């Protein structure tokens, strides 16, 4: 087997036509999105995604433990930006009816949303395919039962659209193969109103660890108290030195009552002792008189 020196490989790459060279990427570097990438609204996440955002003309698979909990918080900023540009967002098979007041707090205009409720998995898949082929809207579909070959077909349809496309699936699907170029796993964060995002698949090196994102909608940040989205302060445990006992201070009234109670107990004990002593003396005198 023949080998090519690294210098020769670099020279060969430099001699490629620009259009071909633009389509190549090294596994140690983040690849470029095939179409324009759309900012996610989270700078920390944009830095880890090829192209710096949600890829256009490609399928993004979002996995989470429970549907209709985290996807709006993660995708809300990008969907709101698309709606602000007049682009419609089509929802296919959402697990719960869209809540217009809540979406409005996330910056989403209900007039830019289209809700498609399909009953069977076959209808859900067909609707998603037709929407991706039309290339007229941003598609967000919930397809918990999609198979790998069906996701491959959706990815082929998504390549003809300049807009991002999202498919939401359960977290257990992370072990199944998928043709989506970008796969993420979302979970609740360690503090209120935060998300933990793991990048399972991307065009580039494997991503280690988790990205924690603050996901408070601007409409709620203005009305929520600070304690609602900040972690509670961790109490500091008291350190006791060996051989010492800490006694909490007692109020003056309680101290007086305790002293009176203690004095009464001592008086009762003293009276009991005196009575027992007198009885013993009486028994000895009675015994002497009997003799």
């Amino acid at each position: 087997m023949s080998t090519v020196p690294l210098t020769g490989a670099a020279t060969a790459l430099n001699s490629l036509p620009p259009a071909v060279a633009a389509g190549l990427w090294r596994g140690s570097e983040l690849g470029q999105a095939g179409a324009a990438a759309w900012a996610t609204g989270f700078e920390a996440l944009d830095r880890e995604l090829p192209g710096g955002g949600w890829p256009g003309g490609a399928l993004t698979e979002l996995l989470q433990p429970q549907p209709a909990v985290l996807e709006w918080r993660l995708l809300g900023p990008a969907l709101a930006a698309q709606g602000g540009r007049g682009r419609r967002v089509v929802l296919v098979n959402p697990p719960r009816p869209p809540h217009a007041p809540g979406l409005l707090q996330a910056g989403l205009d209900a007039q830019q949303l289209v809700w498609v409720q399909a009953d069977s998995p076959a209808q859900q898949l067909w609707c998603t395919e037709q929407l991706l082929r039309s290339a007229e809207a941003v598609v967000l579909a919930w397809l918990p039962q999609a198979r790998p070959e069906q996701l491959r077909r959706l990815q082929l349809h998504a390549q003809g659209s300049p807009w991002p496309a999202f498919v939401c699936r359960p977290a257990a699907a992370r072990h199944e193969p998928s043709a989506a170029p970008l796969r993420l796993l979302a979970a609740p964060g360690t503090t209120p109103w935060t998300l933990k995002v793991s990048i399972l698949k991307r065009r580039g090196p494997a991503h280690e660890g988790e990205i924690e994102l603050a996901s408070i909608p601007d409409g709620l940040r203005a009305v929520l108290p600070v304690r609602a989205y900040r972690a509670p302060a961790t109490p500091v445990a008291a350190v006791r030195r060996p051989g010492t006992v800490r006694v909490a201070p007692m109020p003056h009234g309680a101290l007086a009552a305790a002293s009176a109670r203690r004095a009464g107990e001592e008086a009762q004990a003293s009276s009991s002792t005196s009575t027992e002593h007198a009885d013993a003396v009486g028994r000895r005198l009675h015994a002497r008189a009997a003799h």
Side-chain angles (χ1 to χ4, degrees), residues 92-155:
V92 180
N93 189 43
R96 298 177 184 174
H99 183 58
L103 297 178
L104 185 62
Q105 292 292 338
L108 291 164
D109 187 358
Q111 296 182 355
Q112 300 295 330
L113 297 178
V114 179
W115 174 19
V116 178
Q117 187 65 40
D119 296 329
S120 65
Q123 293 177 351
Q124 299 161 11
L125 182 65
W126 183 86
C127 291
T128 306
E129 289 183 358
Q130 300 306 312
L131 290 168
L132 293 176
R133 292 176 62 182
S134 65
E136 293 295 336
V138 178
V139 179
L140 174 57
W142 285 261
L143 304 175
Q145 301 179 11
R147 299 190 300 271
E149 63 273 14
Q150 295 172 338
L151 293 175
R152 188 179 306 111
R153 192 161 62 247
L154 293 178
Q155 165 60 17

